[in-house]
Amino acid sequence: MPDARSDIFARIREALKVKAPRPHLKGEPVAGKTSAAAKPWLPDGGESAEASLAILAEQLAKLKAMLIRVPDHASAAKAVAELAAAKNWKKVAYHGHPLLRPVAAALPCEAWEADASFEKQRLEGCDAGLTTCESIVAQLGAILVSSASSGGRALSILPHAHVVVAEAAQVVPDLGSALALAKARHGDQMPSMLSFITGPSRTGDIERILVLGAHGPKELYLVLVG
Amino acid sequence: MSDSKAIFLKDAAVNAADGDQRAFIRKALGGYYVNRDLQKARYRDWERARDAASLAKWSAVNDLAAVLEQFVANFERNGGVVHWARDAAEARDIILKIAADNQAKAIVKSKCMTSEEIHLNDALEKAGYGVVESDLGEFIQQLRGEAPYHFVFPCMHVKREAISELFTKHLGTAPTDSPEELTMIARRHLRQLYVDADIGITGANFLVAETGQISITENEGNARLTAALPRIHVALSGIEKVVRHLDDLSVLLPMLATAGAGQPMTCYNTLYSGPRKEGECDGPEQFHLVLLDNSRTRLLADPEQRDALHCIRCGACLNVCPIFKNIGGLAYGTTYQGPIGSVITPHLRGLKQWNHLSGASSLCGACTDACPVRIDLHHHLLHNRRNAAKEAPTLFDRVFHHGFNFVIKRPWLFAAGGRIFRATLPLLQKLPLPYMGAWMKTRDLPEAPARSFRDQWKNPDA
Ligand code: SF4
């Protein structure tokens, strides 16, 4: 008996001998990559940096994610320290990134560089995870984290709160730009995980009523520098 | 009558008569309609975005062999292992073998309809593994011992009181009527299970050929945890989930969320390209992907309905379907409910047993209008009806169609029939008409017109 792989490919080739018509479209199809051409039809991500930032702020508010804008890195550290004090965080895990070490150092509570000595049980006991990100999508209010920019896979999802520190220049207008940027940056060496985070974890599974903090973070903060 | 049809008719009748339950479902969907419209309004041209989404899927599905090969080559280059399964049994065996080879004990799953399709949980439990569904809705359904009601909102039919009772019974928690508190109970209960599990099983929403990544869409974060903490990650996906370019996701991800759940984007959209990489601090040591055919190639072989493989499982067609809203998801008796389920189940599981679902439609076309990838759903239901009548015509089909054919070709006979019908109508109105069954229960026969249409057409002034 032929192996499953060749069998399935044989079935596919046989099935595709008869061509299917193109779907009925509303407009004329555009040559080349259709998805790139779709940009002007999708939700607006802003033509200028300023416009994008305004859209981002609006989207994040709707998603119940907190946006904290600060002028420089020193104020970012101060803002995170204030947040930790206000929320009474006892333990914060952070990604060992040059941008984040000074922020962690300023925390009024225990801070642990999670990616230096990863332990899932210990991470589970942390109140918050502190990471950087790859980019931020204004159009959707989505923050792209990766196993490279966020200290692995668990740090941005397991603790109760997630704090992202990023520069305003990391804001891109739309999803397509964020994907293109990731491709340009990593080529065929993509981090093993890339994740778009659009607001705090949520569920509507009980009577379709929105509840935040299903399995992932209940609170999401974006500290934007500049 | 097939067994599945008899069960369907019975369940559908019971559910349709349950006014309370129907009102509950309508209310649960109320917020969705509002949010969906708000989000759709943000699109600068929703209809043309649908064009792009349908073309992205059409172009991949119609070149499936090449696109799949490209995907697999890239996936393997990233360090993942691909397994091929012709059918459900092969897929189950592959996953059981991975579990046995790695001496796994505990398995945590995130929502994956393909695993429902192959009845994976049963097989794993029979083999002695502890399996926990981590998606809240799936977790509730697992405790209830019931299949998902809706493939995006698995327990949308269950009231909070029932969930509270369920949790009290199985988890020993205090009763509560707050959805928030109920969610937190599940959250606390499942936390440690992620940490302890050896294997995490997920589905996949898209397979990106260009980069060899799989894309998983979710709201709760349970799939993220499932793919982060256990030492082995197994993903299960149908072969049709492949798209050509990473950029295709810039259209498909937002549209999936907007059409299906009225969101700008689901909370987590994650691309996985392999096991933990060198230099990464966590993540699984092994990453397996099981690619499943299970009759998808049969659907592929039908060019007329091939576009049903474009489905991105957003659930929009269920949310707008009057039949779904009245009979509920469980009555279908299928893995995939609603219009898309009615279209594909006869292909996946046999037209003879499942053709009755082609009739579970008012042909209003709401599903086709809602579908972000422009699948011609309601016409496919008609195609299935036609195919069934061709494949194995019932006595009624034969008598009726031959009779109709005979009469319509003979204008004099048609006219004579009309005259007789008009003359006997007043009599028919007085007779009980058992043979018209359900149709006549709520309807009266119309009054007979004095003249036929053809007569009026010929002499409009007479
Ligand atoms: S058929 Fe279309 S509307 Fe229905 S679930 Fe699939 S993609 Fe969504």
Side-chain angles (χ1 to χ4, degrees), chain B residues 122-145:
Chain B
D122 279 354
L124 288 170
E125 274 161 15
K126 265 201 204 102
Y129 299 102
V131 191
V132 184
E133 291 287 353
S134 58
D135 171 84
L136 177 59
E138 293 280 341
F139 177 67
I140 290 169
Q141 289 308 91
Q142 190 186 23
L143 291 181
R144 286 169 64 87

Side-chain angles (χ1 to χ4, degrees), chain B residues 151-152 256 259-260 308 310-318 339-341 367-368 370-375 377:
Chain B
F151 57 72
V152 178
L256 168 64
H310 300 179
C311 175
I312 57 175
R313 302 277 185 269
C314 70
C317 56
L318 281 65
I340 184 66
C367 47
T368 306
C371 179
V373 289
R374 289 199 191 284
I375 301 173
L377 289 156

Side-chain angles (χ1 to χ4, degrees), chain B residues 186-201:
Chain B
R187 176 186 168 109
R188 283 192 295 270
H189 175 74
L190 287 162
R191 287 244 118 184
Q192 197 56 41
L193 298 179
Y194 294 113
V195 178
D196 295 338
D198 316 282
I199 299 188
I201 299 181

Side-chain angles (χ1 to χ4, degrees), chain B residues 1-13 330-331 333 356:
Chain B
M1 193 188 298
S2 70
D3 298 350
S4 45
K5 179 175 180 182
I7 298 171
F8 171 78
L9 288 177
K10 191 171 134 269
D11 289 355
L330 297 171
H356 58 274

